Amino acid sequence: MARRADEHVVPTRVMLPRRVVDGPARQVAKRLMMALIVLAATVLIVWIDRGGYHDAADTKVDLLDAVYYATVTLSTTGYGDITPYSDGARLSNVVLVTPLRVLFLIILVGTTLEVLTERTREDFRLKRWRTNLRDHTVVVGFGTKGRSAIQTLCATGLKKEQIVIVDPASKVIEIANAEGYTGVLGDATRSDVLLRAELQKARQIIIATQRDDTAVLVALTARQLNRGAKIVAAVREEENAPLLRQSGADAVITSASAAGRLLGLSVLSPSAGTVMEDLIQQGSGLDLVERPVIKAEVGKNVRETDDLVVSVLRGHRLLGYDDPLASPLQLTDRLISIVRATNEQPTNHTPPTAPRP
């Protein structure tokens, strides 16, 4: 469980979602093309008004001289061997050539300016993100389990801006950014990485790592940083579930056992397996949701509600629908019920949760 002294340290940084831009080669090609267009326009201006220019060498200005003058002028070299001496040539230099010179310089230093501007913009976005982020969801691991958990949360109305993904693989974080999620690159067992994800201000934490020992370390670190957040974790082996609960997880899902039970149920009763799979997939067919008791339901029996209630959450106690203590319903109760999925979930519905042991 302890880290090895020679463990590879993953670089840590926050990566906000960003719009897709052209690649470096294409950006350089665009700027080069713009610079050539400006140069050609300057050559054309000088060539049209070549009679107003004086060449110290042979007094005549031909096409080569026009290209030469345009080059040294736009680059602000200015040797002075070719000069405008007529009023028209000087006027065209002031009105046309000078703006082109400024534009040419802007194109040349555009890359540096863009880098500085982008860095300043990213710093501003990061500061604003840290200031506004609170009561969000931190998802550790963006594999199959993490993706499925996020899809379920988004199906219930959670915005992508309220989800922060932590993963040690840069490719995974890039994929998460492309899908609109904020990512933190780093090892989630380290407290400084979780602090970059603003875990201390998070409302809920989902741990979907590939290894059970990593999940235990993440749960320990997360609970130390945030005492009030709800932590839900997944483990591969059922024997590690108690250890994960002792580490601070409120709910532990055993992925291997859950998949095995679903397989066995599907063998015994394919229809029952289909119903269970339908309940797991949020937003299609039947959904398992948690909602508060409305005033019209207070004092009623569990069976008298419009929804198919399976459990009643009263404080920290989870009561089954057939428990005599579940009825009558109280205003502070929350109902876990099966409802028909719709395109728009009610805003007061949240994914089912388990009480803290």
Side-chain angles (χ1 to χ4, degrees), residues 56 83 98 104 116 123 128-129 144 178 180 211 220 239 265 284 291 306 318:
T83 56
T98 299
F104 188 81
L116 294 176
D123 290 342
R128 186 178 61 179
W129 173 77
T144 303
R211 294 169 56 95
L220 283 169
E239 61 185 12
L265 179 62
S284 62
R291 67 172 179 85
D306 295 334
L318 189 62

Side-chain angles (χ1 to χ4, degrees), residues 181-303:
Y181 302 105
T182 299
V184 176
L185 177 64
D187 183 1
T189 61
R190 296 170 49 191
S191 58
D192 62 319
V193 174
L194 295 181
L195 288 175
R196 287 179 177 269
E198 299 296 319
L199 183 134
Q200 69 277 11
K201 298 188 296 184
R203 174 180 295 179
Q204 48 200 14
I205 303 163
I206 298 175
I207 302 175
T209 58
Q210 299 296 326
R211 294 169 56 95
D212 290 357
D213 54 350
T214 304
V216 172
L217 287 174
V218 173
L220 283 169
T221 309
R223 182 55 73 198
Q224 183 181 14
L225 296 175
N226 192 328
R227 296 291 182 180
K230 180 175 294 182
I231 300 179
V232 180
V235 292
R236 291 179 176 270
E237 303 297 334
E238 193 168 0
E239 61 185 12
N240 295 324
L243 180 60
L244 197 51
R245 290 191 179 93
Q246 294 175 11
S247 302
D250 298 310
V252 179
I253 308 300
T254 308
S255 57
S257 298
R261 284 192 289 269
L262 185 57
L263 287 172
L265 179 62
S266 299
V267 170
L268 296 175
S269 175
S271 299
T274 301
V275 173
M276 286 299 300
E277 188 175 2
D278 189 12
L279 289 174
I280 294 175
Q281 295 178 354
Q282 190 76 18
S284 62
L286 299 175
D287 279 348
L288 190 64
V289 299
E290 177 184 323
R291 67 172 179 85
V293 172
I294 60 177
K295 292 183 179 180
E297 296 172 335
V298 175
K300 290 185 177 181
N301 189 282
V302 172
R303 294 300 190 184

Side-chain angles (χ1 to χ4, degrees), residues 49-119:
D49 198 20
R50 59 187 179 277
Y53 288 82
H54 177 75
D55 186 356
D58 54 7
T59 69
K60 293 183 180 180
V61 176
D62 54 17
L63 181 59
L64 179 60
D65 293 332
V67 175
Y68 167 75
Y69 176 79
T71 303
V72 298
T73 299
L74 293 180
S75 62
T76 67
T77 304
Y79 293 114
D81 48 352
I82 299 179
T83 56
Y85 69 92
S86 69
D87 293 339
R90 292 177 178 178
L91 180 62
S92 65
N93 262 264
V94 173
V95 177
L96 300 176
V97 177
T98 299
L100 289 175
R101 181 187 302 117
V102 174
L103 179 60
F104 188 81
L105 292 177
I106 291 176
I107 294 174
L108 289 181
V109 300
T111 303
T112 303
L113 291 176
E114 184 176 353
V115 170
L116 294 176
T117 303
E118 182 66 22
R119 183 176 302 173

